[in-house]
């Protein structure tokens, strides 16, 4: 299942942020293991951060945090990763990206927010710009998580079903071998 999580994280991040700005977990096993450890460590602690952030902050202020420090560090790691991919996608968009490798989702989401701002007064303060940057990064992280998890589960189930059907495996193999250009793995 970890392999599928790596593949689907790469796929989703490439679609969102463009191939040049995506994760490369399927070819970097140590990065994949670190990412997945950070990502999955948060599961039992998602509720306070997402649903009751003010209560969480209040509890921390009084000295009894609801979320352990290592979980907060995992959250920081993922948020920083998302911010970095957003920054890289911005830089990539400034250099006239090639069609087919551009950061599709990121570009559309940012363009949608820009259109909303134009409908108001069209001007944004530095605080508003920073807030929008954080909003975009948060949305991209949410979409990455949702797409990665559901797709990895579907791939795992697909492998299980394919393992029970050798004839179907051979049909798929033949179809993949007939593709032009050929799929080469690992990429060279």
């Amino acid at each position: 299942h970890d392999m599928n999580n790596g593949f689907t994280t790469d796929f989703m991040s490439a679609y969102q942020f463009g191939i040049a700005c995506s994760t490369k977990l399927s070819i970097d096993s140590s990065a994949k293991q670190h990412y997945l450890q950070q990502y999955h460590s948060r599961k039992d602690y998602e509720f306070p951060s997402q649903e009751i952030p003010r209560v969480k902050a209040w509890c921390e202020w009084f000295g009894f945090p609801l979320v352990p420090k290592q979980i907060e560090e995992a959250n920081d790691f993922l948020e920083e990763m998302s911010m970095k991919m957003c920054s890289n996608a911005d830089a990539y968009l400034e250099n006239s990206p090639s069609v087919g490798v551009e950061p599709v989702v990121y570009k559309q989401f940012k363009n949608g927010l820009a259109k909303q701002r134009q409908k108001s007064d069209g001007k944004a303060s530095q605080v508003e710009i920073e807030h929008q940057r954080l909003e975009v990064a948060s949305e991209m992280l949410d979409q990455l998580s949702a797409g990665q998890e559901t797709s990895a589960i579907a791939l795992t189930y697909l492998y299980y079903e394919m393992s029970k059907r050798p004839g179907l495996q051979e049909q798929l193999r033949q179809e993949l071998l007939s593709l032009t250009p050929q799929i080469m793995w690992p990429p060279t």
Side-chain angles (χ1 to χ4, degrees):
H1 189 64
D2 284 357
M3 178 183 70
N4 293 336
N5 274 290
F7 286 151
T8 57
T9 302
D10 289 350
F11 176 79
M12 287 302 301
S13 65
Y15 181 52
Q16 288 178 263
F17 298 104
I19 292 171
C21 305
S22 68
T23 61
K24 309 290 188 272
L25 303 180
S26 58
I27 58 175
D28 185 344
S29 60
S30 63
K32 175 178 63 182
Q33 291 309 315
H34 180 69
Y35 168 79
L36 292 175
Q37 189 280 324
Q38 298 296 304
Y39 181 81
H40 291 299
S41 70
R42 306 162 43 249
K43 292 294 182 190
D44 293 337
Y45 299 96
E46 289 177 335
F47 182 80
S49 297
Q50 293 179 353
E51 304 301 330
I52 53 170
R54 288 190 177 140
V55 172
K56 179 183 158 223
W58 182 74
C59 290
E60 287 172 12
W61 188 79
F62 278 108
F64 55 96
L66 298 177
V67 177
K69 183 179 179 186
Q70 67 268 24
I71 303 305
E72 292 292 2
E73 290 169 354
N75 285 332
D76 292 344
F77 167 79
L78 294 168
E79 290 167 2
E80 288 168 15
M81 183 186 86
S82 182
M83 291 295 289
K84 182 179 177 187
M85 286 193 288
C86 288
S87 295
N88 290 345
D90 277 330
Y92 190 75
L93 285 170
E94 288 175 12
N95 294 321
S96 303
S98 303
V99 175
V101 295
E102 65 184 2
V104 175
V105 176
Y106 181 78
K107 180 180 174 183
Q108 290 300 322
F109 191 73
K110 281 199 67 171
N111 287 344
L113 290 176
K115 285 179 185 178
Q116 282 182 335
R117 189 174 46 231
Q118 286 176 349
K119 287 181 182 177
S120 59
D121 63 8
K123 298 174 186 167
S125 68
Q126 276 306 116
V127 171
E128 291 170 324
I129 291 169
E130 180 60 18
H131 177 75
Q132 178 180 320
R133 195 170 90 85
L134 294 173
E135 181 181 0
V136 169
S138 177
E139 181 64 26
M140 293 297 103
L141 182 57
D142 288 348
Q143 289 184 24
L144 179 63
S145 297
Q148 170 236 312
E149 284 191 41
T150 55
S151 299
I153 291 167
L155 277 177
T156 301
Y157 184 71
L158 172 71
Y159 297 159
Y160 170 72
E161 289 298 323
M162 293 287 292
S163 74
K164 299 187 307 184
R165 296 174 175 82
L168 192 55
Q169 288 178 45
E170 184 56 29
Q171 280 181 304
L172 177 60
R173 182 178 181 281
Q174 292 305 316
E175 185 172 334
L176 291 173
L177 289 172
S178 73
L179 294 176
T180 304
Q182 286 188 321
I183 297 173
M184 303 302 288
W185 192 258
T188 55

